[in-house]
Amino acid sequence: MTLPTHARTVIIGGGVIGCSIAYHLAREGRKDIVVLERSKLTSGTTWHAAGLVRRLRPSATLTKLINYSIDLYGELERETGQATGWTQTGSLTLASNQDRLTNIKRQVSLGRAFGLEAEVVDASRARDLWPLIEVDDVIGAVWSPSDGRVNPSDVALALSKGARARGVQIFEDTRVTGLQKIGGRISGVEVGDHVIEADEVVIACGLWSREVAAMAGAHMPLYACEHFYILTKPLPEVQALGKGAHLPTLNDQDAFLYARDDVEGLLVGSFEPHAKGLPLDRLPADFSFDLLDEDWDHFMPMMENALRRIPALEKAEVRMLLNGPESFTLDSQFMLGESPEVPGLFLMGGMNSTGIALAGGAGKAMAEWIIAGEPTMELNEADIRRFSPEMNVLGALEARIPEVLGRHYDNPFPGRSMETARGQRRSPIHAGLAAAGARFEARGGWERAVHFGGEAAHLPLTFGAPAWREQVGQEVETCRSGAAILDQSAFGKIMVQGPDACVFLNRLCAAQMDVPEGRITYTQILNAKGGVESDLTIQRHGPETYLLIVGANETVRVMQRMRDTRGDYRAEFTDVTSGYAILGLAGAQARDVLQATTNAAVPDLKRFYFAPVEIGLARGWAGRLSFTGEEGFELYIPADMAMAAYEALVAAGASHAGLYASGSLRIESGFRAFGHELTPGTTPLEAGLGAFCAMGTGFVGENALRDHKPERRIVSILFDDPAAIPLHDEPIYFDGKVVGQITSAAWSYRFGRSVALGLINAPLDLLETQDVLDGFEVEIACARYTVKASLKPAKVAFA
């Protein structure tokens, strides 16, 4: 077979991910697809994966993708004749402390939102299900009967066979040496001197994806680590199960272990706390079906854990210690989507040891994105646009990724934060906040102050009442009755200028942009289906000049959306995030404190207006709005003057508050947040924001909203029991049926119990006629709690 000179779609990588994307593109009717594999299909990482497939995951997106994968793997053999090795064995997850038990119970509750049943069992039942384990320290477990395993290479081969049957051309031993662009858009793939012109290119080449993406100037922040598991020779205890019988997959996350039977022996792997990063220059150029050197000194602490849990291993003869490379991302979620830097270049990788389980669903999601031009399902947590180019720094990846692997089995406590690669992006007032005792978390590369009081107010982490509750309560009170500085400098700032700036923004945004100078407009950017792509405020600074203020993780996606929407509009846009600080000043005394910093009069502003202001030695402008829902301002100050302004505010009596305080107040006020209440699959009408849509202006998504009758709504929720502590995604019940999920939650200092926002699909008729409706329940860690719900903000509805 000869390499073509043109293809509609070229996929680089013949592992399970590349084969899945090719299969799903072809199944959707896409023609003229080429797959290029540098070695042989399944080489690299796919062939040595453990093949474990667990349905229960900590998020809605992951659960949906994996459920699809399981259904697909069961069907592929019937379609292609190629076995996938899918075997439904079930899985058993152990807990040897109360926090672990709470965490796995939370996953059970989340699964029930999707109709997945799992059973919480005691140690005795766990021993019955996995007879080889020692359970003297086990306090509970979760049995998930619908989980299973596959043979990773067979899955990839089945997908490739299905793809070939639909006309996909697959070329092995074909190394890509370069990528070409025309006018900034991907245009071709170089294989030595040969060029394949392409309408779109997909990079799915595992460990090498970051380097291949860089050939086109695209950013793909992932990095490899060494990953270990042992294989034993046959064990009598496993042979005694009988021919064809299997043990469930065992997960002992407190011991950093997973295990399953393998050819009458055992496979035992680990996510060890102190992982080993792998610079790619350590791999030979022809690394294919190869492994890394055994490292028993490194693996021995995990082996000791395994011996304690599975005593039969003491008599086992180890066949090999397999050490294979896998790639991980900065936040332990995989990435997929169109490159924000290079149109037509699609990227997928960093599977974080879940590539086999996710391959089917994620490959389908990527194929649909390529065909539709945008995601067709909720993919925010995996969307590559969450990573800015600033995060693709090799030093940060080398420091952070081993920690990501090492914390793979950590309990996801509220307040948990990575410890490595810290301080990458700092606010202009970072030093002042640190001196004031800020506790920082790394979010999107930024150091964000979540509360004050330092380490003493933060630890220990727990799923119960957090250590910072009292401290944050003081900050909330300051936001109400005092004057609290809230550092919002991580928010994105995008300047839009040009003769067509107004009409361009009216096309881009749902609200009316033709407003007076000095006006601030709250709006959303929508997709063609009417879903929310971003939630932002826009300031009009002149006839042809606007400033967009977007969420801290939304800058990349907004810039891409603007690029895709601009067309022939005479408008330019520039990311000026690093040029300005934003200081929120919230509370009843905010105006007095601001006035005390200067002899110049603080302007008397109406809500959602802005004007120039002097703050001590600094000069900027003040906007009359507050994300807390309390009285206050947002102060926009050139970065080089921000410390001067901050020092003047502190000297005038301002105190401090962090993200936890503003989050509590936001939810009480019913303010929606992108990535929580607002997503690409949620419309403004479902979110109760229809009043902010200027119908008739021709904005993207308007047609979808015109006849849209919401069948889901965002509601405010108040818990009756102060002991209930929701976090996110918990299922909401009404009349015994799941009707939705929690989208945001926090402790309410106003009510002395938890408050939340949730998206529900019933009973909307009753909510429309009653200010407050009882009869709802929320399930947290397998326990049900009664709640009240309302379409109004909590601080209004439940007062």
Side-chain angles (χ1 to χ4, degrees):
M1 202 163 48
T2 304
L3 282 174
T5 57
H6 180 272
R8 183 168 186 182
T9 309
V10 174
I11 299 169
I12 306 172
V16 70
I17 300 299
C19 290
S20 181
I21 296 168
Y23 170 85
H24 285 96
L25 280 171
R27 200 176 73 172
E28 291 297 316
R30 179 62 66 94
K31 304 296 183 185
D32 196 15
I33 302 166
V34 170
V35 176
L36 305 178
E37 165 54 46
R38 61 188 285 277
S39 177
K40 303 294 184 185
L41 294 182
T42 79
S43 63
T45 299
T46 296
W47 73 274
H48 63 71
L52 309 180
V53 184
R54 291 175 50 234
R55 290 182 185 265
L56 277 178
R57 294 290 170 169
S59 77
T61 293
L62 294 179
T63 301
K64 289 177 181 177
L65 294 178
I66 290 174
N67 279 323
Y68 171 83
S69 293
I70 291 175
D71 293 340
L72 175 68
Y73 300 159
E75 297 167 1
L76 274 175
E77 181 173 358
R78 291 189 291 274
E79 176 192 332
T80 67
Q82 167 69 54
T84 62
W86 164 249
T87 307
Q88 183 172 323
T89 62
S91 71
L92 182 68
T93 303
L94 306 180
S96 54
N97 61 69
Q98 190 58 52
D99 285 330
R100 180 67 62 189
L101 185 59
T102 297
N103 182 40
I104 61 178
K105 283 182 175 180
R106 293 184 70 88
Q107 292 188 31
V108 170
S109 292
L110 172 63
R112 288 175 181 161
F114 311 107
L116 297 180
E117 282 302 325
E119 181 184 357
V120 180
V121 300
D122 61 16
S124 175
R125 174 66 172 145
R127 178 70 180 268
D128 292 341
L129 290 164
W130 233 91
L132 281 69
I133 58 173
E134 175 59 60
V135 295
D136 58 348
D137 62 338
V138 173
I139 64 170
V142 168
W143 163 238
S144 304
S146 59
D147 293 346
R149 68 178 73 165
V150 293
N151 183 322
S153 293
D154 287 343
V155 170
L157 293 174
L159 289 165
S160 68
K161 190 172 182 180
R164 279 190 170 113
R166 292 174 170 84
V168 175
Q169 298 183 74
I170 299 177
F171 296 88
E172 297 179 299
D173 299 312
T174 305
R175 183 188 297 272
V176 170
T177 56
L179 299 174
Q180 295 186 350
K181 297 186 289 185
I182 295 177
R185 182 180 177 86
I186 202 73
S187 63
V189 176
E190 299 173 3
V191 180
D193 295 332
H194 185 87
V195 176
I196 306 174
E197 295 180 355
D199 296 346
E200 63 222 359
V201 174
V202 184
I203 294 176
C205 42
L207 308 171
W208 298 273
S209 293
R210 180 175 183 267
E211 285 67 27
V212 175
M215 293 178 181
H219 297 279
M220 201 170 178
L222 54 80
Y223 192 77
C225 278
E226 301 180 32
H227 183 56
F228 299 84
Y229 62 75
I230 61 165
L231 294 167
T232 77
K233 292 184 177 180
L235 277 167
E237 292 87 348
V238 178
Q239 292 173 320
L241 297 173
K243 188 173 182 180
H246 293 285
L247 290 166
T249 298
L250 180 70
N251 302 287
D252 186 1
Q253 296 167 348
D254 293 318
F256 316 106
L257 300 173
Y258 61 87
R260 66 170 174 86
D261 60 274
D262 183 85
V263 195
E264 298 186 333
L266 290 176
L267 179 157
V268 182
S270 70
F271 290 94
E272 67 278 17
H274 303 290
K276 297 176 67 176
L278 178 65
L280 288 189
D281 58 14
R282 278 183 47 200
L283 300 180
D286 60 351
F287 189 88
S288 180
F289 291 97
D290 304 278
L291 293 170
L292 304 169
D293 294 338
E294 292 187 349
D295 187 343
W296 278 103
D297 287 341
H298 180 79
F299 188 72
M300 191 51 67
M302 301 304 102
M303 188 67 187
E304 291 171 356
N305 289 348
L307 289 168
R308 283 194 294 271
R309 182 61 66 206
I310 309 172
L313 284 172
E314 293 180 4
K315 306 187 297 291
E317 187 175 348
V318 174
R319 185 152 50 94
M320 68 181 304
L321 172 59
L322 186 144
N323 180 5
E326 292 196 29
S327 55
F328 293 78
T329 62
L330 290 161
D331 61 0
S332 76
Q333 296 291 356
F334 76 102
M335 62 178 80
L336 86 167
E338 186 176 15
S339 165
E341 298 87 18
V342 185
L345 181 64
F346 290 83
L347 312 170
M348 185 165 162
M351 305 309 292
N352 301 277
S353 282
T354 58
I356 303 303
L358 285 168
K364 179 176 186 287
M366 176 66 109
E368 291 178 350
W369 188 333
I370 292 168
I371 293 169
E374 59 187 21
T376 58
M377 63 174 292
E378 297 284 7
L379 292 168
N380 268 9
E381 67 195 82
D383 195 319
I384 196 164
R385 292 172 291 184
R386 73 191 188 274
F387 294 125
S388 65
E390 293 83 1
M391 301 175 75
N392 189 29
V393 175
L394 188 58
L397 296 171
E398 289 175 337
R400 170 64 61 81
I401 299 305
E403 184 186 9
V404 170
L405 184 151
R407 300 181 70 170
H408 188 78
Y409 279 159
D410 272 11
N411 277 319
F413 292 119
R416 187 182 70 153
S417 186
M418 292 291 183
E419 298 174 358
T420 54
R422 295 297 298 268
Q424 185 180 27
R425 303 190 77 179
R426 305 178 211 186
S427 156
I429 65 165
H430 178 88
L433 300 179
R439 165 73 187 196
F440 295 100
E441 287 182 11
R443 299 191 180 187
W446 286 91
E447 293 293 317
R448 306 292 306 276
V450 293
H451 63 72
F452 290 77
E455 201 82 350
H458 196 74
L459 300 175
L461 300 181
T462 175
F463 290 117
W468 57 77
R469 181 173 287 178
E470 181 179 346
Q471 169 63 35
V472 173
Q474 297 171 15
E475 296 172 23
V476 163
E477 182 56 34
T478 303
C479 289
R480 288 187 177 134
S481 60
I485 298 171
L486 295 144
D487 185 17
Q488 298 167 189
S489 301
F491 284 5
K493 305 109 187 167
I494 303 170
M495 190 72 74
V496 180
Q497 296 171 298
D500 293 339
C502 181
V503 291
F504 166 60
L505 289 175
N506 262 339
R507 175 63 178 158
L508 181 75
C509 302
Q512 174 60 259
M513 293 294 108
D514 194 4
V515 297
E517 295 176 31
R519 186 80 163 86
I520 300 173
T521 302
Y522 170 62
T523 188
Q524 289 80 42
I525 295 172
L526 308 182
N527 55 42
K529 294 182 178 180
V532 178
E533 291 289 334
S534 184
D535 183 57
L536 63 159
T537 59
I538 301 181
Q539 306 168 4
R540 189 166 196 177
H541 284 256
E544 300 181 358
T545 304
Y546 292 80
L547 182 66
L548 281 58
I549 308 296
V550 306
N553 290 326
E554 297 172 49
T555 307
V556 172
R557 66 185 301 122
V558 171
M559 290 287 286
Q560 183 187 33
R561 184 64 58 169
M562 295 172 81
R563 181 198 73 200
D564 294 345
T565 306
R566 178 168 55 180
D568 295 328
Y569 291 115
R570 297 170 297 165
E572 300 295 331
F573 38 90
T574 307
D575 179 0
V576 296
T577 299
S578 298
Y580 297 92
I582 302 179
L583 307 185
L585 188 65
Q589 298 178 31
R591 181 182 178 83
D592 292 340
V593 166
L594 186 58
Q595 184 61 75
T597 67
T598 177
N599 290 326
V602 171
D604 187 14
L605 294 169
K606 297 178 181 178
R607 281 186 60 78
F608 286 97
Y609 280 83
F610 69 92
V613 67
E614 295 180 6
I615 312 165
L617 302 177
R619 181 175 177 83
W621 64 98
R624 183 80 163 77
L625 73 165
S626 169
F627 196 49
T628 64
E630 304 298 320
E631 289 297 312
F633 301 90
E634 283 186 356
L635 308 174
Y636 313 91
I637 308 152
D640 53 357
M641 304 178 87
M643 273 302 291
Y646 167 79
E647 290 163 352
L649 290 169
V650 172
S655 189
H656 299 83
L659 291 178
Y660 293 171
S662 64
S664 172
L665 292 166
R666 170 186 79 81
I667 295 170
E668 282 185 358
S669 298
F671 291 170
R672 283 59 168 141
F674 184 74
H676 300 273
E677 293 71 45
L678 304 176
T679 72
T682 309
T683 70
L685 303 186
E686 291 172 333
L689 301 176
F692 296 95
C693 297
M695 305 300 288
T697 55
F699 60 85
V700 174
E702 181 180 340
N703 290 337
L705 297 186
R706 188 168 287 115
D707 299 318
H708 175 49
K709 295 181 180 178
E711 297 181 355
R712 307 181 301 172
R713 292 296 302 271
I714 295 292
V715 295
S716 295
I717 291 169
L718 181 66
F719 283 76
D720 293 325
D721 186 348
I725 303 179
L727 301 179
H728 207 289
D729 285 337
E730 292 86 355
I732 303 168
Y733 290 78
F734 187 82
D735 198 21
K737 298 178 182 178
V738 175
V739 296
Q741 288 180 270
I742 298 293
T743 54
S744 294
W747 183 258
S748 169
Y749 296 87
R750 183 186 303 268
F751 298 110
R753 62 198 68 187
S754 291
V755 66
L757 295 170
L759 181 63
I760 64 171
N761 56 36
L764 302 187
D765 54 341
L766 295 177
L767 281 165
E768 293 285 355
T769 58
Q770 300 184 42
D771 286 345
V772 176
L773 185 62
D774 291 307
F776 290 93
E777 293 179 305
V778 173
E779 184 173 310
I780 305 171
C782 300
R784 300 275 184 94
Y785 297 88
T786 58
V787 302
K788 302 175 178 65
S790 177
L791 291 172
K792 296 182 178 180
K795 69 180 184 181
V796 174
F798 307 125

